[in-house]
């Protein structure tokens, strides 16, 4: 059986003197200029690998934004018999702190505007990634919309359904979400007022030293009497700056995401039967153009992560 090599990386960006710059690294082993990237460690998600590799190769801490694209190419097999496929998943990532120091893998880093960076990149595949990054502006605001983790079967719970707790599998999903969502640097946590929803994101709030705020309009009972009001509430949350994490239910998320995408002309990932996906323990990373004096937040990208556990790359158009 052919073993695929998995890797992840990022277009690391910053704004300096009003100009967007991206980081390119020079690897003496290959004598090339590339985007920071590297292989996944065992049990690591692509998001975790991207942030770790950026830190190791550039010295900078990064905050993840939208998913960009995947590149694929053959590499030599370890046993020397032919080649195996290698895939690299890329994110947009903002540099928030740090300083470059030459290391075993990288001996030079350059901050360049995208046009100059494209000319310096050695491989066409990296140019493709950079162009995907340039399709949207930097500085988008992020809202992470989570479906609650597994909580057993509704018909097997004899108590108040609002109080149905996470199962053992759900607790594992919640722990994975706690770890992965931190890479997006959330600053507040909101949830439908259901125990399973609150439990799913409690760890995220705990890491922030904050409480989980209840959002009744984003529960199934609160949303469906007036979906327009529910959409407006999510947009208000998105427009309050920062990076909120919002946990809701499977009866709400597909309609909510579809409504936003239809309103703002965003193509969503293809789903079986045309239904917007929303598995238990999954999440959407919604990227908005920030609110202006004349306009509210506008959805520009939507990426679906079927799990916070190690999985294939997120779904995107």
């Amino acid at each position: 059986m052919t073993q695929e090599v998995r890797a992840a990386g990022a277009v690391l960006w910053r704004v300096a003197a009003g100009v967007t710059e991206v980081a390119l690294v020079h690897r003496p082993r290959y004598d090339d200029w590339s985007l920071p990237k590297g292989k996944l460690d065992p049990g690591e998600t692509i998001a975790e690998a991207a942030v770790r590799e950026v830190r190791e190769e550039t010295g900078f801490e990064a905050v993840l934004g939208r998913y960009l694209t995947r590149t694929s190419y053959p590499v030599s097999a370890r046993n020397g018999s032919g080649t195996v496929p290698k895939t690299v998943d890329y994110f947009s990532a903002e540099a928030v702190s740090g300083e470059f120091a030459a290391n075993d893998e990288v001996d030079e880093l350059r901050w360049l505007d995208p046009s100059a960076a494209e000319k310096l990149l050695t491989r066409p595949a990296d140019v493709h990634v950079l162009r995907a990054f340039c399709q949207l502006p930097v500085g988008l605001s992020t809202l992470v919309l989570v479906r609650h983790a597994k909580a057993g079967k509704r018909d097997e719970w004899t108590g108040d359904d609002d109080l149905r707790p996470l199962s053992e599998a759900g607790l594992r999903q919640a722990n994975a979400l706690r770890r992965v969502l931190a890479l997006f640097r959330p600053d507040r946590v909101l949830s439908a007022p259901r125990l399973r929803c609150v439990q799913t994101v409690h760890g995220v709030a705990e890491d922030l030293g904050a409480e989980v705020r209840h959002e009744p309009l984003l529960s199934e009972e609160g949303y469906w009497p007036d979906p327009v009001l529910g959409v407006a509430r999510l947009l208000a949350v998105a427009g309050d700056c920062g990076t909120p994490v919002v946990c809701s239910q499977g009866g709400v998320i597909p309609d909510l995401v579809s409504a936003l995408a239809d309103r703002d002309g965003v193509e969503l990932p293809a789903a079986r039967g045309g239904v917007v996906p929303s598995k238990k323990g999954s999440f959407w990373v919604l990227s908005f153009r920030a609110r202006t004096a004349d306009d509210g937040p506008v959805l520009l990208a939507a990426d679906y992560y079927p799990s916070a556990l190690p999985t294939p790359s997120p779904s995107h158009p």
Side-chain angles (χ1 to χ4, degrees):
M1 180 178 177
T2 300
Q3 183 63 48
E4 180 184 49
V5 177
R6 297 297 305 278
V11 176
L12 183 68
W13 65 273
R14 70 181 185 183
V15 175
V19 176
T20 299
E21 298 177 330
V22 299
L24 301 192
V25 295
H26 182 262
R27 302 180 301 172
R29 177 182 177 185
Y30 304 102
D31 190 23
D32 68 355
W33 285 96
S34 70
L35 301 167
K37 65 179 182 296
K39 296 177 185 176
L40 272 66
D41 285 342
E44 193 174 43
T45 65
I46 58 168
E48 290 170 306
V51 171
R52 176 183 55 76
E53 286 291 339
V54 164
R55 182 189 311 113
E56 292 177 358
E57 292 195 353
T58 72
F60 285 88
E61 293 295 333
V63 176
L64 289 188
R66 63 190 177 92
Y67 178 81
L68 295 177
T69 190
R70 163 184 279 196
T71 63
S72 301
Y73 51 93
V75 294
S76 299
R78 284 189 174 181
N79 60 13
S81 59
T83 62
V84 295
K86 179 177 181 178
T87 63
V88 189
D89 290 286
Y90 287 93
F91 298 80
S92 171
E94 182 181 9
V96 292
S97 64
E99 184 177 1
F100 174 73
N103 54 72
D104 292 340
E105 296 184 62
V106 175
D107 62 354
E108 186 178 353
L109 179 147
R110 292 185 188 177
W111 287 102
L112 300 168
D113 69 77
S115 178
E118 181 172 322
K119 294 175 182 177
L120 184 61
L121 284 167
T122 301
R123 290 177 171 76
D126 281 355
V127 173
H128 169 74
V129 175
L130 181 58
R131 289 179 178 176
F133 167 80
C134 291
Q135 287 177 359
L136 294 178
V138 299
L140 302 180
S141 63
T142 298
L143 183 149
V144 184
L145 181 59
V146 183
R147 183 178 177 188
H148 69 75
K150 294 180 179 179
K153 296 182 179 179
R154 188 185 301 246
D155 56 9
E156 293 179 359
W157 175 254
T158 58
D160 184 343
D161 190 61
D162 291 357
L163 301 179
R164 180 157 49 99
L166 296 183
S167 64
E168 288 298 320
L171 291 172
R172 289 192 293 271
Q173 289 178 315
N175 285 332
L177 284 163
R178 180 178 190 170
R179 187 176 67 246
V180 172
L181 297 190
L183 304 174
F184 297 89
R185 296 282 180 97
D187 62 353
R188 60 195 187 280
V189 182
L190 306 90
S191 172
R194 302 289 179 270
L195 178 60
R196 55 194 178 276
C197 295
V198 173
Q199 285 183 318
T200 297
V201 291
H202 173 74
V204 180
E206 189 172 60
D207 290 341
L208 295 174
E211 298 291 330
V212 178
R213 289 163 38 190
H214 286 183
E215 285 293 336
L217 289 175
L218 299 179
S219 68
E220 290 174 350
E221 292 82 357
Y223 180 83
W224 282 110
D226 192 346
V228 172
L229 193 59
V231 172
R233 179 59 194 141
L234 191 77
L235 285 170
V237 171
D240 283 342
C241 300
T243 302
V245 167
V246 180
C247 188
S248 185
Q249 297 175 265
V252 172
I253 292 172
D255 190 79
L256 187 55
V257 173
S258 293
L260 288 170
D262 289 345
R263 188 195 78 143
D264 295 330
V266 173
E267 183 181 355
L268 295 177
R272 186 177 301 174
V275 177
V276 172
S278 181
K279 292 173 58 178
K280 291 178 181 177
S282 67
F283 62 98
W284 284 87
V285 174
L286 304 178
S287 300
F288 292 88
R289 187 183 67 205
R291 180 192 298 272
T292 67
D294 301 321
D295 196 6
V298 175
L299 183 69
L300 295 184
D303 305 311
Y304 175 67
Y305 294 71
S307 174
L309 298 166
T311 60
S313 60
S315 302
H316 66 293

